[in-house]
Amino acid sequence: MKAWGLTLAWLSLLVSALVVVFILKQPTLNNDILALLPKSEPRLQQVEEHFFAANKQQLSFSFRGENAVKAYDNLEQWLASKHIEPRFKLPEISQLAAFYGQYAGHLVSEEYKQAIGDANRFQQYYFSQLSKVADPFVSSTINQDPSLATAGFLSEAMAHMQQFELQDGRININYQGDEYLMLFVQSADNAFSINQSIALSNEIVAYIAELESRYPDTQIRYAGALFHTAANAQQAKFEMTLFGSVSLLALIVIVVWVFRSINALWLASVTVISAAIGGTIALICIFSQIHVLTMVFAVTLIGIAIDYAFHGMLDLTEQPQGFSQGLKLALLLSLLTTTLGYASLFFSPVQLLSQVGVFVVAGLVTAWLCTRILLPYWQTGLTINTAAHQLANMLSGYLKRLTHYRVALSMLMLVLLSAFALLKPL
């Protein structure tokens, strides 16, 4: 009865600490893949943050094929119904002329600069430009700027963007001999949650699939932080579910088969739960934002903590007076070496790795304390299955015999690895 009371008190203490820290710190779960990038030099970091903030909600689409225009218009209208408007459109030439015409004579092209220094050369340049009646820059600016300086400036400026053309208000690009229509949009909501990102991404992808089935000769491609966020979040959920389920199933099978005891399964679960809660408390205390991928990596790595419970329970079945001195030293050395290894991640420029390091180190310390404090009180309820004990002794005997051939086995492995490296280089 005392063992149950102490275990429940231990778990209650950890849960209470987690609730208090959560209320005080109020952390947020970050799903932005760009947040994983290393921090740059302060001035460059300000530029990067401004660029990422400005482009975080931008979505890009390309259309190629016979019905690209119809697909473009349908998607643009559908996105507008979701309050996702075009981010920018190339202005009409008349708008460019009206804007830059105010600065006539101040903005001139390089060719205009060279021609204006000689009267005869400028006369030839001027009449050659004036004769281009089909030139939209000349016809649009000559009323505002008869010197044609604005026309020359706009012509030179747009020449640098000749890969972009405007066709009936749509951006057209010629790339490697193929014509593409480009659509750039931006959502007004700049604070999507993970679930909102997944829902919107799935909606857009489903509608694109519908358009491609409606226009089978049209190819639509898409990009944007929203799609990456949704894909990463879905993959993270899948991995957490998969690895968590497999680990839990393997844990139950091993514990039940070896110890044939509900108490052993309970103690192993308490150790893992304690490690997870301890790691989470440390994360919340140190970081205001926790990346979703941190939890994926951290949960898979915290399985190391179960070793403490296994070794502790096995030692208690053989020692009548609590843990042996050898096990105490082994657990302590294991804790020190493992925490030192993961502590090196604290100094990583990638925040994901530093968060994983904090989680695992704090989790292992909590698991070690749980093993040392709680397990001795459950000693009377722990036994080892005879079949498991015999199997362990048999495997131990095989391993001892193999040590006589360790040099030959090491050479064989070296030869095999060398052959593999030659046949299939990394």
Side-chain angles (χ1 to χ4, degrees):
M1 197 66 183
K2 183 179 180 181
W4 279 101
L6 287 174
T7 304
L8 293 177
W10 168 266
L11 291 176
S12 300
L13 178 64
L14 289 177
V15 172
S16 300
L18 178 61
V19 172
V20 170
V21 171
F22 190 88
I23 294 174
L24 294 177
K25 298 285 291 187
Q26 295 184 352
T28 57
L29 192 62
N30 187 6
N31 60 359
D32 184 8
I33 195 67
L34 299 176
L36 300 180
L37 297 178
K39 297 299 182 182
S40 305
E41 187 270 333
R43 287 177 295 180
L44 180 59
Q45 183 180 339
Q46 291 179 356
V47 176
E48 290 175 348
E49 290 177 352
H50 175 76
F51 174 79
F52 293 149
N55 293 275
K56 190 175 183 179
Q57 293 305 120
Q58 176 176 303
L59 306 178
S60 306
F61 304 89
S62 69
F63 305 81
R64 183 181 69 170
E66 294 182 9
N67 290 302
V69 173
K70 293 181 180 179
Y72 179 104
D73 293 340
N74 288 340
L75 182 59
E76 184 180 29
Q77 293 172 6
W78 184 84
L79 290 172
S81 69
K82 302 288 183 182
H83 306 290
I84 302 176
E85 304 291 342
R87 179 170 184 178
F88 64 86
K89 292 184 177 180
L90 292 180
E92 301 289 343
I93 293 178
S94 58
Q95 294 176 306
L96 293 173
F99 178 80
Y100 288 105
Q102 307 171 69
Y103 310 99
H106 297 281
L107 301 174
V108 294
S109 65
E110 191 63 32
E111 187 180 7
Y112 195 94
K113 288 180 183 179
Q114 296 175 358
I116 202 172
D118 181 83
N120 293 328
R121 185 175 178 181
F122 181 76
Q123 185 179 26
Q124 294 176 358
Y125 167 80
Y126 184 85
F127 284 112
S128 67
Q129 293 292 104
L130 193 61
S131 64
K132 298 177 181 178
V133 292
D135 189 329
F137 300 109
V138 174
S139 59
S140 298
T141 62
I142 192 170
N143 291 332
Q144 302 177 45
D145 180 17
S147 69
L148 298 185
T150 304
F153 168 76
L154 291 177
S155 178
E156 182 180 78
M158 296 303 290
H160 296 297
M161 298 180 62
Q162 58 185 350
Q163 68 270 30
F164 295 93
E165 297 179 2
L166 200 62
Q167 295 182 353
D168 299 325
R170 305 178 191 89
I171 299 175
N172 180 275
I173 297 177
N174 187 303
Y175 178 70
Q176 295 184 350
D178 293 321
E179 295 289 335
Y180 293 87
L181 292 179
M182 300 297 300
L183 174 62
F184 302 97
V185 297
Q186 182 169 2
S187 171
D189 189 349
N190 197 36
F192 281 131
S193 67
I194 293 178
N195 292 332
Q196 287 177 314
S197 299
I198 294 175
L200 180 58
S201 173
N202 290 340
E203 280 190 76
I204 295 175
V205 172
Y207 189 74
I208 289 176
E210 179 185 334
L211 288 177
E212 289 184 326
S213 63
R214 190 187 309 171
Y215 307 114
D217 56 348
T218 301
Q219 186 183 71
I220 306 174
R221 294 289 181 265
Y222 54 89
L226 171 73
F227 300 111
H228 295 290
T229 295
N232 286 327
Q234 287 177 308
Q235 184 68 17
K237 288 183 177 180
F238 169 76
E239 291 181 2
M240 290 175 70
T241 303
L242 175 63
F243 293 129
S245 301
V246 172
S247 300
L248 179 61
L249 181 61
L251 172 66
I252 294 174
V253 171
I254 292 174
V255 172
V256 171
W257 182 69
V258 173
F259 294 97
R260 299 292 176 92
S261 169
I262 296 299
N263 290 341
L265 183 61
W266 164 248
L267 290 176
S269 302
V270 168
T271 305
V272 174
I273 293 171
S274 300
I277 296 176
T280 305
I281 291 174
L283 270 184
I284 296 175
C285 289
I286 297 175
F287 301 97
S288 59
Q289 286 189 337
I290 302 173
H291 202 280
V292 63
L293 294 182
T294 299
M295 305 308 297
V296 176
F297 287 104
V299 168
T300 57
L301 294 173
I302 204 62
I304 305 170
I306 199 67
D307 290 344
Y308 296 163
F310 281 148
H311 290 298
M313 289 187 292
L314 288 171
D315 188 69
L316 289 174
T317 59
E318 299 177 356
Q319 301 294 328
Q321 300 297 328
F323 290 131
S324 64
Q325 292 299 322
L327 180 79
K328 293 178 182 178
L329 180 60
L331 289 180
L332 181 59
L333 291 176
S334 174
L335 175 68
L336 291 176
T337 54
T338 311
T339 52
L340 284 175
Y342 281 104
S344 63
L345 297 178
F346 295 169
F347 309 100
S348 171
V350 181
Q351 191 181 63
L352 169 66
L353 297 179
S354 59
Q355 289 186 352
V356 168
V358 169
F359 186 96
V360 174
V361 169
L364 291 177
V365 172
T366 309
W368 179 77
L369 290 173
C370 177
T371 302
R372 289 297 312 274
I373 295 172
L374 296 182
L375 263 62
Y377 291 96
W378 293 84
Q379 184 174 17
T380 56
L382 297 174
T383 57
I384 297 181
N385 179 20
T386 304
H389 195 273
Q390 292 174 349
L391 177 62
N393 290 333
M394 183 178 65
L395 292 175
S396 177
Y398 283 133
L399 291 175
K400 287 180 180 178
R401 284 194 291 271
L402 285 176
T403 57
H404 299 295
Y405 307 99
R406 58 182 179 273
V407 176
L409 290 174
S410 300
M411 295 298 296
L412 179 61
M413 290 181 63
L414 181 61
V415 171
L416 291 176
L417 289 174
S418 302
F420 183 78
L422 291 174
L423 295 174
K424 192 174 178 61
L426 293 176

